[in-house]
Amino acid sequence: MSIAALAQSMGITLKALFSKPVTIPYPDAPVPLKPRFHGRHVLTRHPNGLEKCIGCSLCAAACPAYAIYVEAAENDPHNPVSAGERYAKVYEINMLRCIFCGLCEEACPTGAVVMGYDFEMADYRYSDFVYGKEDMLVEVEGTKPQRREAAYTGKPVKKGYRVPYVRPELEGVKPPDSK
Amino acid sequence: MVGIKAFLVIFGLLTAFAYMTLIERRLLARIQIRQGPNRVGPDGLLQPLADAIKSIFKEDLVVSRADKVVFVLAPMISVTFAVLTFGLIPFGPKDAFFGYDPWVINLDVGLLYVFAVSEIAIYGIFLAGWASNSKYSLLGSLRSSASLISYELALGISLLAPVLLVGSLNLREIVEWQHQNGWLILYMLPAFAIFLLTSMAEAARTPFDLPEAEQELVGGYNTEYSSIKWALFQMAEYIHLITAAALIPTIFLGGWRMPGFMEQIPLIGGLFALPYLWMFIKIALFLFFFIWVRGTLFRLRYDQLMVFSWGRLFPLALAWFLLAALVVAFKWPMAVLGWLSLLSLLVFSAYVILTAQPRPRGLPRMGAGD
């Protein structure tokens, strides 16, 4: 290590000292996400309000991690839940097993299950990671822990990330804008 | 009065140590294009407090079959003797402290005392390694004491030349001498360089921080130490560093005085003649330099460390001491030393410029954005 190289390296660090940090202050500032980011699943609806999911279990069959459980039931013809013959009475995804690969999204014949943009899903109990229909239907905003906290404090769900536009598959999902 | 001054020195030193850690972490982060600690308190200003609370409440382990008394005593020895030296640093002339003498104690053998006492910190390190009942610690402490002693030698000899020239070991007299004859760095550039390097090694500072050895050993002498005892070792190290950063300007850079040419400027010379301010500026400059070096260089290998100390610094210090001794003995004018000092600077710069390698072109540069 020559003395000249030493002086050169001191100059490099001095230059770096006066450059702007590249740190993203994540919880404070919004994080930009890519439009095709694979986040928490969303169960979409038809424009008339009927659920797209017909309880066919193809997503469960396609899931490489066996994270999805679907239990179908016959629709009441006078008051249907879904547009098909049957609907998903129980639709659960174990987020601890899910690898967010998106194969369920590809397997779905009606485009009912789509990967959304939520990723702040840290929680305390194993049982809280099994997401049901009520956690994933399109009206739901924010992640499960965030909603629980919002319900507890009475404040609105906070959003810490930013998406430039929402994929067309995510019908009825508003782009989660920064706070 | 001495008690109050001692309290102020210790209190100020501990605060300086705490905020030195914060400033160092922030500056190192900026060198690495990060932000550094900014979560605790406004802009991270309470981080030292959080660190202190954390280190106090961490689990305090004592190794089984360790020599418990020595094990507990070792960090205390280190930190006590690190603190003891700082009272010797002159922060101003006789009436700078609201009409009082700012010195805690005024010793005619001040310089001798500083080095004698600060060396006992090595004793703490060695006792820590010995009492730990661990081979890692013992080897680490042996290694660190060997390296610290090697550097102590070059450090002592590099200081002999200025002491010879000034004719006093009293720190205040050294500063006063510089006020009359010009800063010692003008006459003593090689001694200054050697003293700077060896005092970094003395404070176990990068690139000479082999006692720490987190990466290549599990931690050297402090392997078995946890919680507040480990923090005490860190504290001793930082206090050493602050003492070094205060000693270098005292001995070589005119102590509490502002640069001579600035005293001639009518307004500035009168307004900014505060001794504390100038001492603070000089200490801060050297601390910044230490942090900058730490952000740039990596740790020396042990054999490199030894060769650098015994093979380079020690002969150079000895040669310069002989030169200074000749000048003093034969009563040659001091300007001889000044010219030699300038000559060494020229040779050094020529060496740096001639051996400079151009940065290889066409190769990809690593860095942010790649």
Side-chain angles (χ1 to χ4, degrees), chain B residues 314-334:
Chain B
F314 181 60
L316 190 62
L318 212 57
W320 185 257
F321 166 55
L322 280 176
L323 268 174
L326 282 177
V327 168
V328 173
F330 295 111
K331 294 198 169 50
W332 293 341
M334 278 195 305

Side-chain angles (χ1 to χ4, degrees), chain A residues 3-4, chain B residues 189 342-356:
Chain A
I3 294 175
Chain B
L189 203 56
L342 190 66
L343 186 73
S344 69
L345 182 67
L346 286 177
V347 169
F348 180 77
S349 344
Y351 177 72
V352 167
I353 290 164
L354 290 179
T355 55

Side-chain angles (χ1 to χ4, degrees), chain A residues 8 10 13 16 19 22 28, chain B residues 30 33 35 39 292 296 357:
Chain A
Q8 276 172 355
M10 293 287 277
T13 44
S19 62
V22 292
D28 297 340
Chain B
R30 294 303 302 271
I33 328 183
Q35 278 189 342
R39 309 303 301 177
W292 182 20
T296 309
Q357 303 280 327

Side-chain angles (χ1 to χ4, degrees), chain A residues 1-4 6-23 25 27-28, chain B residues 27 30-31 33-35 39 288-289 292-293 295-298 300 348 351-352 355-359 368:
Chain A
M1 182 167 60
S2 83
I3 294 175
L6 214 136
Q8 276 172 355
S9 53
M10 293 287 277
I12 289 170
T13 44
L14 190 66
K15 217 158 62 184
L17 185 65
F18 293 105
S19 62
K20 202 168 168 288
V22 292
T23 314
D28 297 340
Chain B
L27 283 179
R30 294 303 302 271
I31 282 175
I33 328 183
R34 298 184 287 118
Q35 278 189 342
R39 309 303 301 177
F288 171 76
F289 176 76
W292 182 20
V293 168
T296 309
L297 302 182
F298 38 81
L300 288 178
F348 180 77
Y351 177 72
V352 167
T355 55
Q357 303 280 327
R359 178 193 281 274

Side-chain angles (χ1 to χ4, degrees), chain B residues 77-100:
Chain B
I77 291 175
S78 268
V79 82
T80 307
F81 286 97
V83 168
L84 271 182
T85 48
F86 204 74
L88 266 285
I89 308 290
F91 276 91
K94 270 197 160 35
D95 54 350
F97 191 74
F98 306 111
Y100 292 102

Side-chain angles (χ1 to χ4, degrees), chain B residues 163-178:
Chain B
V163 166
L164 213 58
L165 197 65
V166 176
S168 170
L169 284 164
N170 187 317
L171 284 170
R172 174 174 286 163
E173 276 172 27
I174 292 176
V175 175
E176 296 292 355
W177 186 92
Q178 293 180 71

Side-chain angles (χ1 to χ4, degrees), chain B residues 139-214:
Chain B
L139 288 174
S141 70
L142 270 173
R143 197 172 77 147
S144 26
S145 4
S147 71
L148 291 176
I149 287 167
S150 317
Y151 278 86
E152 178 65 15
L153 212 64
L155 178 110
I157 290 174
S158 77
L159 275 187
L160 281 181
V163 166
L164 213 58
L165 197 65
V166 176
S168 170
L169 284 164
N170 187 317
L171 284 170
R172 174 174 286 163
E173 276 172 27
I174 292 176
V175 175
E176 296 292 355
W177 186 92
Q178 293 180 71
H179 185 52
Q180 282 153 21
N181 301 296
W183 290 2
L184 262 172
I185 189 174
L186 299 175
Y187 308 105
M188 293 282 159
L189 203 56
F192 169 75
I194 294 164
F195 185 66
L196 186 63
L197 289 174
T198 47
S199 53
M200 276 162 80
E202 266 298 292
R205 188 71 185 167
T206 322
F208 309 105
D209 58 341
L210 269 93
E212 195 175 305
E214 267 173 317

Side-chain angles (χ1 to χ4, degrees), chain B residues 257-280:
Chain B
R257 302 268 184 197
M258 69 168 78
F261 66 90
M262 283 180 76
E263 280 175 354
Q264 309 302 322
I265 307 169
L267 205 62
I268 293 174
L271 275 181
F272 297 102
L274 301 166
Y276 290 117
L277 179 74
W278 283 98
M279 200 60 194
F280 180 79

